[in-house]
């Protein structure tokens, strides 16, 4: 097994300190599913194979890997968890939050295993469509949808969660101009074909990471439910529009305790019940409960699990699963984070102030949140030798630095690991979501290549690995082209 170090004594971004969960060796994910040790074994084999295959080395000093069997296992765990608590025949759409890992092959893999797409921009919608996700399995969220975005979504029949009263006014104006009415009916119908809902902010409070707490009193998202007059406006909006059939809320993600997430959903469920009672019909037929399940960045153990969360919701909001409401979820980080790894070559090993420093090719360009907010987003680091094998040896406190030209470009500071030497590899773990797929072009550093991997059955004692290119590594020609290279004299001519 690889030697992976978490920040000593720090709280992980998932809200549990690195000491609370057992290490990967032999630890299984709580609530069932594959064990953390299974993932570690696959990762170790993949790093070794990447070096042997030449995907990683002096000429390719940084790559990102996606564990395809791990992704499939997480999808199966998500679906099984909600199937276990939901009444038979209940419509359930699990829509992946595309922002978490906006890569077309990832979206296609998820789609082929029954997962839709939650999008929040024209770019994300284009990615979902390129991956073959149908409109009926797509949900559009965003606090800043343009008229053009709304028109496209409504024309395609994509579900839309209106963020605010002004956006709902826009939908009112667009609905009568659509070429198809409800279920492809006559043009000019005031009823949009798309399932439409309103996003509410239940204002139940925030978690340990303020920037990801979306149900605070002053959050920018949704209609603030406890503001004066807001609840009455919402009820009237549904009474005036029989085609409003959904209700959506999302309390937050990383750093949000499960109890607070459940409270936000309970508030939303109670509002749906009130609306249906007051309008005198079962108008709201679907609740979009968002995603946000936190990830444990402190060890290889998967906690909390989908099964734990689904059971908690069933206890806290029993009516949610009795079959009267269809369900939409929007999980992202929890599906992909544990299945991604960035591996970077140690270009130089040096010492400063008596502390060893491993200078690698992974830093702020692939771990922006960790570099700028290490207290909220610490990453575990695993050490591998020059052949891609887990590195042995006594732990040494050291820094793992990135290539960018500022002092704070550190993947980890003061971390105890087997001493990284020139030519070794440092692996940033749990980076399958919101890391290498979200390139930050500081110093015009190139985007790394991204490769999916899976074991080859029966090969070399079960230790062979097959790779597939997800995204080619970026070349300097692309960097120049994206930086106005075709127009070098554009400003001198003014």
């Amino acid at each position: 097994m690889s030697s992976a170090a978490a920040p000593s004594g720090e709280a992980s971004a998932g809200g549990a300190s690195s000491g609370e969960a057992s290490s990967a060796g032999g630890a299984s994910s709580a609530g069932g599913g594959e064990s953390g040790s299974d993932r570690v074994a696959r990762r170790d084999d993949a790093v070794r194979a990447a070096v042997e295959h030449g995907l990683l080395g002096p000429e390719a000093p940084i790559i990102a890997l996606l564990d395809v069997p791990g992704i499939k296992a997480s999808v199966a765990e998500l679906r099984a968890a909600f199937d276990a608590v939901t009444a038979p025949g209940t419509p359930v759409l699990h829509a992946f939050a595309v922002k978490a890992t906006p890569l077309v092959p990832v979206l296609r893999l998820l789609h082929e295993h029954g997962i839709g797409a939650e999008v929040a921009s024209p770019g994300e919608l284009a990615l979902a469509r390129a991956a073959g996700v149908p409109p009926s399995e797509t949900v559009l969220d965003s606090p800043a949808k343009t008229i053009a975005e709304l028109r496209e979504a409504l024309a395609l029949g994509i579900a839309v969660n209106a963020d605010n009263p002004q956006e709902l006014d826009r939908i009112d104006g667009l609905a009568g101009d659509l070429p198809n009415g409800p279920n492809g009916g006559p043009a000019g119908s005031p009823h949009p074909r798309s399932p439409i809902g309103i996003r509410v902010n239940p204002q139940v409070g925030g978690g340990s990471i303020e920037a990801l707490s979306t149900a605070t009193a002053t959050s920018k998202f949704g209609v603030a439910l406890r503001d004066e007059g807001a609840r009455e406006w919402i009820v009237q909006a549904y009474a005036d529009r029989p085609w409003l059939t959904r209700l959506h809320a999302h309390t937050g993600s990383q750093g949000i305790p499960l109890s607070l997430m459940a409270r936000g959903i309970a508030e939303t469920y109670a509002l749906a019940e009130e609306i249906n009672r007051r309008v005198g019909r079962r108008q709201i037929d679907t609740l979009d409960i968002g995603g946000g399940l936190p990830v444990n960045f402190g060890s290889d153990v998967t906690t909390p699990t989908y099964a734990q969360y689904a059971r908690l919701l069933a206890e806290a909001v029993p009516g949610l699963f009795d079959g009267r409401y269809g369900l939409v979820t929007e999980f992202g980080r929890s599906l992909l984070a544990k299945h991604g790894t960035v591996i970077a070559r140690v270009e130089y090993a040096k010492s400063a102030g008596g502390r060893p420093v491993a200078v690698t090719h992974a830093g702020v360009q692939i771990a922006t949140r960790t570099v700028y907010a290490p207290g909220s987003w610490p990453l575990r680091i695993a050490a591998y030798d020059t052949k891609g094998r887990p590195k042995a040896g006594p732990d040494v406190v050291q820094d793992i630095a990135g290539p960018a030209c500022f002092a704070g470009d550190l993947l980890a500071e003061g971390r105890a690991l087997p001493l990284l030497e020139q030519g070794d590899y440092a692996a940033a773990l749990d980076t399958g979501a919101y890391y290498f797929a979200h390139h930050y072009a500081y110093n015009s550093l190139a985007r790394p290549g991204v490769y999916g991997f899976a074991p080859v059955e029966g090969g070399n004692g079960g230790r062979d690995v097959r790779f597939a290119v997800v995204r080619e590594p970026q070349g300097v020609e692309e960097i120049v082209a994206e930086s106005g290279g075709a127009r070098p004299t554009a400003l001198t001519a003014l």
Side-chain angles (χ1 to χ4, degrees), residues 2 21 42-43 51 60 72 109 143 153 163 199 239 244 248 284 290 326 343 347 393 397 399 401 422 429 435 493:
S2 61
R42 286 197 301 269
R43 181 179 71 224
V51 174
K72 293 178 181 178
L109 174 67
D163 181 81
R199 177 171 184 170
L244 276 177
H248 170 48
I284 296 177
I343 307 100
E347 197 66 37
V397 174
D399 292 348
Q422 188 176 36
L429 310 181
Y435 278 93

Side-chain angles (χ1 to χ4, degrees), residues 366-386:
I366 54 90
T368 311
R369 290 178 174 180
T370 295
V371 168
Y372 286 131
S376 295
W377 299 101
L379 286 175
R380 292 180 300 131
I381 305 296
Y384 293 88
D385 67 17
T386 58

Side-chain angles (χ1 to χ4, degrees), residues 8 16 30 36 46 48 84 110 189 228 256 265 317 365 435 487:
S8 177
R48 172 191 50 78
L110 294 173
S189 167
E228 184 177 357
I256 301 291
I265 292 169
V317 199
Q365 87 276 28
Y435 278 93
R487 301 173 181 82

Side-chain angles (χ1 to χ4, degrees), residues 95-492:
F96 177 69
V98 172
K99 58 184 172 289
T101 312
L103 297 168
V104 171
V106 169
L107 306 183
R108 182 57 176 261
L109 174 67
L110 294 173
H111 169 55
E112 291 190 355
H113 286 80
I115 303 297
E118 183 266 334
V119 301
S121 72
E124 289 183 357
L125 176 56
L127 295 178
R129 297 191 72 187
V133 182
S136 60
E137 297 174 16
T138 305
V139 180
L140 175 62
D141 290 314
S142 166
K145 305 179 195 72
T146 66
I147 292 175
E149 290 175 66
L150 289 169
R151 182 181 291 112
E152 179 182 20
L154 296 175
L156 290 170
I158 289 170
V160 176
N161 289 317
D163 181 81
N164 55 72
Q166 292 179 350
E167 182 182 332
L168 192 57
D169 288 343
R170 282 185 171 178
I171 294 173
D172 285 339
L174 289 168
D177 297 333
L178 296 174
N180 297 294
N183 302 312
S189 167
H191 301 269
R193 177 169 59 139
S194 296
I196 308 292
I198 294 176
R199 177 171 184 170
V200 296
N201 170 12
Q203 294 176 294
V204 294
S208 61
I209 303 176
E210 183 178 359
L212 297 188
S213 299
T214 55
T216 60
T218 57
S219 170
K220 73 178 185 179
F221 291 103
V223 179
L225 192 54
R226 299 184 183 183
D227 281 15
E228 184 177 357
R231 198 177 193 95
E232 285 302 313
W233 177 87
I234 293 168
V235 174
Q236 192 60 49
Y238 280 85
D240 293 343
R241 300 168 179 84
W243 44 265
L244 276 177
T245 59
R246 292 189 174 190
L247 189 64
H248 170 48
H250 176 68
T251 302
S253 52
Q254 199 67 17
I256 301 291
L258 297 192
S259 58
L260 191 64
M261 293 170 63
R263 184 179 164 198
I265 292 169
E267 295 276 352
T268 308
Y269 170 82
L271 177 61
E273 292 281 273
E274 178 183 347
I275 290 169
N276 284 345
R277 183 178 66 254
R278 291 178 62 180
V279 302
R281 55 184 177 264
R282 294 215 56 80
Q283 180 170 326
I284 296 177
D285 60 22
T286 301
L287 295 177
D288 183 336
I289 63 173
L293 190 71
V295 169
N296 167 34
F297 286 93
S299 79
D300 282 298
V301 175
T302 299
T303 182
T305 65
Y306 292 121
Q308 290 169 336
Y309 183 44
R311 287 195 298 267
L312 174 63
L313 290 179
E315 294 169 2
V317 199
L320 184 66
F321 298 114
D322 65 9
R324 292 178 299 127
Y325 293 100
L327 294 174
V328 177
T329 72
E330 300 176 356
F331 296 104
R333 180 183 289 107
S334 56
L335 276 170
L336 262 292
K338 286 287 182 190
H339 310 304
T341 305
V342 174
I343 307 100
R345 190 170 188 267
V346 178
E347 197 66 37
Y348 300 105
K350 56 195 288 188
S351 179
R355 178 182 291 178
V357 180
V359 182
T360 78
H361 290 270
V364 72
Q365 87 276 28
I366 54 90
T368 311
R369 290 178 174 180
T370 295
V371 168
Y372 286 131
S376 295
W377 299 101
L379 286 175
R380 292 180 300 131
I381 305 296
Y384 293 88
D385 67 17
T386 58
K387 295 185 178 181
R389 302 170 302 194
K391 183 146 192 182
D395 284 350
V396 176
V397 174
Q398 58 197 292
D399 292 348
I400 295 87
C405 290
F406 68 97
D409 186 29
L410 299 170
L411 275 184
E413 185 174 6
R415 194 67 59 85
L417 285 167
L419 184 64
L420 287 165
E421 301 171 284
Q422 188 176 36
D424 286 343
Y425 297 95
L429 310 181
D430 306 329
T431 49
Y434 297 103
Y435 278 93
F436 53 76
H438 297 71
H439 188 72
Y440 175 43
Y442 199 102
N443 281 146
S444 296
L445 291 163
R447 291 189 294 269
V450 180
Y451 303 88
F453 71 87
V456 176
E457 295 294 332
N460 192 24
R463 291 174 58 84
D464 281 350
V465 178
R466 183 171 67 251
F467 294 94
V469 178
V470 174
R471 185 184 69 193
E472 293 280 0
Q474 187 181 32
V476 292
E477 299 84 0
E478 293 176 84
I479 295 174
V480 172
E482 292 177 5
S483 302
R487 301 173 181 82
T489 62
L491 299 180
T492 59

